[in-house]
Amino acid sequence: MGVRLFKEGAAAADRRGFRTTRRRLKRVKWRLRLLREFFDQPISKVDINFFARRKYSDISPRDPNYNGLEKTLFNDRSDQDFYHDYPTIYHLREALMTQHRKFDVREIYLAIHHIVKYRGNFLRNDAATAYRSGTLDLQQHFKTLNHLFSQADLELNLNRTTDAALLDRIKQTLVRTDISRSDRQKLIMPLLAVLTGATTAEKKRQKAVVTEFAKALVGNKTKIDVLTLTDIDATEAKDWAFSLEENQDKLPGIEDRFSEVGQQIIDEVIRLYASVNLAQLIPEGKRFSQRYG
């Protein structure tokens, strides 16, 4: 009696991580608002409702806030035509860099919006001609992930071989741009790992993780909870399923649920996904200028 009890002291690492995430998201939103200010007047001249359609594109027509605008990207052509010419945002960015013609100002905005939102590293002052793609070292990434999964009591055995030919097959499949993401996923699935679980349940667990890992590498929607071995409720499943391209938007809402190993796993997979994307844009060993002139 008469003694006031306090919780024991704890490190501020968790709170510091949340604060860093809030600061990062705040900066992203600030950059995107500034970009819209630059493009507002020229885009409004050709499509006055362009930004309004983008703002309300994810709102259900039954929502009281729905403004009745059509859910299309453009007002003068179909979305199907646009995606036929540019299946991904990277196709549009390449066209803007390599084709000498006048583009729709809305297409320019969409490309710059993607660059600004997922801005990458602007810490080097070198000219673009000095940039080379890094080596896509699958074996090292697999070795790191294998160690992390083993810490979480899952023997995934990703780097099961030192066969350079097999690793090269995986690499060449990942960087292909002439087939769909789903086709690439199907091709690399049997090459990634051998299921060595002692029981049927263990093999099933290994297969589930390998499947989500393959989806993540090619940019398909991934069950992040399965990939990071995180237990969630069925009601949360939607929040944990997204492609790694959306990681800056989606991860802040769930990263406090990761274990330390789970956070390391997703960080390593994101690094590998970024390396694959870079290798697609700039073939290994070539300069930026050799790829884009």
Side-chain angles (χ1 to χ4, degrees):
M1 290 181 62
V3 176
R4 186 172 181 85
L5 300 179
F6 297 89
K7 293 182 179 180
E8 65 180 55
D14 290 341
R15 292 188 58 81
R16 184 165 58 250
F18 299 147
R19 185 167 61 249
T20 300
T21 298
R22 289 195 300 270
R23 186 181 300 118
R24 184 179 70 246
L25 292 177
K26 184 178 180 180
R27 289 172 177 170
V28 170
K29 292 178 180 178
W30 175 82
R31 293 198 303 268
L32 295 180
R33 284 198 302 268
L34 185 61
L35 179 67
R36 175 173 172 170
E37 289 178 12
F38 289 148
F39 278 87
D40 190 35
Q41 186 174 354
I43 288 181
S44 295
K45 291 180 180 179
V46 297
D47 188 351
I48 194 170
N49 290 321
F50 177 75
F51 291 112
R53 289 199 306 276
R54 285 179 55 80
K55 180 178 180 180
Y56 293 101
S57 62
D58 59 347
I59 295 181
S60 169
R62 298 181 180 180
D63 193 298
N65 294 319
Y66 182 60
N67 59 8
L69 292 174
E70 292 186 27
K71 291 182 176 294
T72 59
L73 197 56
F74 301 97
N75 64 345
D76 53 1
R77 54 176 154 154
S78 69
D79 289 358
Q80 184 177 2
D81 292 338
F82 175 75
Y83 287 113
H84 177 270
D85 295 334
Y86 313 112
T88 70
I89 190 67
Y90 294 102
H91 289 83
L92 174 59
R93 287 170 56 172
E94 180 183 23
L96 287 166
M97 287 188 289
T98 59
Q99 297 179 18
H100 299 285
R101 61 180 177 85
K102 184 177 181 180
F103 281 83
D104 189 318
V105 66
R106 293 166 295 182
E107 294 176 343
I108 299 173
Y109 169 80
L110 291 172
I112 298 179
H113 182 281
H114 184 262
I115 294 171
V116 169
K117 187 172 184 179
Y118 306 102
R119 64 194 183 106
N121 181 3
F122 288 150
L123 299 181
R124 291 181 57 179
N125 295 321
D126 300 333
T129 53
Y131 282 80
R132 291 178 180 269
S133 65
T135 300
L136 182 53
D137 191 350
L138 292 181
Q139 190 170 32
Q140 182 57 47
H141 283 294
F142 288 174
K143 182 178 180 180
T144 300
L145 286 168
N146 212 30
H147 174 68
L148 293 172
F149 281 120
S150 67
Q151 288 184 316
D153 298 323
L154 179 69
E155 296 300 327
L156 200 56
N157 204 19
L158 283 173
N159 55 334
R160 60 186 172 84
T161 179
T162 57
D163 186 350
L166 178 58
L167 291 172
D168 189 61
R169 282 179 62 192
I170 299 174
K171 183 190 302 184
Q172 295 304 321
T173 303
L174 285 173
V175 300
R176 288 182 65 176
T177 57
D178 60 327
I179 59 176
S180 69
R181 293 178 177 182
S182 296
D183 287 340
R184 278 185 281 146
Q185 177 193 329
K186 292 175 183 178
L187 289 173
I188 67 171
M189 269 289 295
L191 306 177
L192 287 176
V194 172
L195 307 183
T196 58
T199 65
T200 302
E202 185 67 13
K203 287 184 179 180
K204 184 177 180 180
R205 186 177 180 226
Q206 290 176 335
K207 183 177 180 181
V209 174
V210 172
T211 299
E212 299 309 318
F213 179 56
K215 290 179 182 178
L217 291 187
V218 301
N220 282 338
K221 183 178 289 187
T222 304
K223 296 177 182 177
I224 303 299
D225 57 310
V226 176
L227 183 60
T228 58
L229 309 176
T230 305
D231 293 328
I232 63 169
D233 297 328
T235 56
E236 302 175 282
K238 184 178 179 181
D239 295 332
W240 288 72
F242 54 87
S243 68
L244 291 189
E245 187 177 271
E246 305 172 280
N247 73 84
Q248 289 195 35
D249 292 330
K250 302 292 187 179
L251 282 182
I254 62 174
E255 60 186 0
D256 61 317
R257 299 284 302 279
F258 291 136
S259 65
E260 183 177 349
V261 173
Q263 182 66 61
Q264 292 175 339
I265 289 173
I266 194 63
D267 288 345
E268 184 66 22
V269 174
I270 289 173
R271 280 193 286 270
L272 177 52
Y273 172 72
S275 297
V276 170
N277 273 275
L278 181 59
Q280 283 182 316
L281 290 172
I282 311 175
E284 192 170 295
K286 289 190 176 182
R287 285 193 175 92
F288 181 90
S289 58
Q290 291 175 299
R291 175 67 176 84
Y292 291 113

